[in-house]
Amino acid sequence: MSESPYVLILFYSRHGSIAEMAKHIARGANKVSNIEVKIRQVSDVAETTQTAQPELPDEGAPYCTLEELSNCSGLAIGSPSYFGSMAAPLKHFIDQTSTLWLTGQLIDKPACGFTSASTMHGGQEQCLHSMMTPLLHHGMVWVGLPYKHKELISTTTGGTPYGASHLANGTSEVGLSEEEKALCKAQGQRIAEMALKLKK
């Protein structure tokens, strides 16, 4: 019996903002019938090769496996913006997906991205592009946020047509604005709908 279709919400969160965004994206995806949601994170990259990460995180979502990524019907991928790029732990995970690329496991599946930075011009859009690039190499279909969502125009915090974003105003602040919450939910709903439309 084949597994039910699901949206995989895959992320790395350093200070909690990305994890909070993932919850709102899940709420949006859960509005769509006939598709499930799996929330997964990636582990930190060890500073030395002698240090091993535990198999289960101390808190939060379980770590993602390549099998879970391979079998998803849609992907929402999230990372804080580090100098305009995704965080190293997420990049490290993506760098392990060569076998999925060789076998075309992700071709024609929809993907979207979400990000956070602690300054207004902290590289949010460029970070989304950094996550988009390897997924396009995998043959995935990037799904942004259309301007029919009025929050994209009214927001004074986060939000882009490339994907949901959050302005953290410092590393210790994880509260999302109402516009950011709405855009995360809209993105979750859209990726779930597209996953069902594109499912083979």
Side-chain angles (χ1 to χ4, degrees):
M1 184 173 125
S2 62
E3 188 172 19
S4 299
Y6 63 88
V7 169
L8 176 64
I9 302 175
L10 172 64
F11 69 91
Y12 173 73
S13 187
R14 182 74 182 267
H15 298 288
S17 293
I18 295 295
E20 185 67 17
M21 293 179 78
K23 292 175 186 175
H24 288 283
I25 289 170
R27 288 179 184 129
N30 279 324
K31 292 180 180 179
V32 180
S33 301
N34 302 317
I35 191 161
E36 298 177 7
V37 176
K38 290 187 180 183
I39 301 177
R40 298 290 185 267
Q41 63 179 319
V42 298
S43 64
D44 275 310
V45 176
E47 292 184 15
T48 68
T49 55
Q50 284 75 35
T51 304
Q53 292 291 324
E55 289 187 22
L56 293 172
D58 293 332
E59 59 183 351
Y63 292 137
C64 189
T65 66
L66 290 180
E67 184 179 12
E68 287 173 320
L69 176 58
S70 175
N71 293 331
C72 76
S73 300
L75 173 67
I77 188 168
S79 171
S81 172
Y82 285 174
F83 305 107
S85 186
M86 74 179 99
L90 188 59
K91 178 67 164 61
H92 177 71
F93 181 84
I94 291 174
D95 285 347
Q96 298 175 64
T97 62
S98 295
T99 55
L100 306 188
W101 175 76
L102 286 168
T103 54
Q105 295 298 305
L106 300 177
I107 290 174
D108 293 336
K109 294 181 179 181
C112 65
F114 57 104
T115 188
S116 173
S118 59
T119 61
M120 178 64 79
H121 302 290
Q124 290 94 327
E125 293 183 352
Q126 187 60 36
C127 180
L128 291 167
H129 281 252
S130 78
M131 293 185 283
M132 180 190 309
T133 300
L135 300 182
L136 291 174
H137 277 259
H138 273 287
M140 298 192 86
V141 179
W142 192 261
V143 177
L145 277 168
Y147 273 94
K148 73 175 186 177
H149 303 292
K150 63 185 185 306
E151 293 86 0
L152 271 181
I153 297 170
S154 63
T155 183
T156 57
T157 52
T160 80
Y162 313 108
S165 68
H166 168 58
L167 174 60
N169 286 326
T171 56
S172 62
E173 189 271 307
V174 297
L176 273 61
S177 71
E178 291 306 309
E179 288 88 355
E180 290 169 341
K181 290 176 185 177
L183 291 170
C184 284
K185 290 172 187 172
Q187 184 161 302
Q189 183 173 346
R190 189 166 195 231
I191 197 69
E193 290 170 346
M194 291 299 291
L196 290 176
K197 287 179 182 177
L198 295 176
K199 186 158 177 58
K200 296 175 183 177

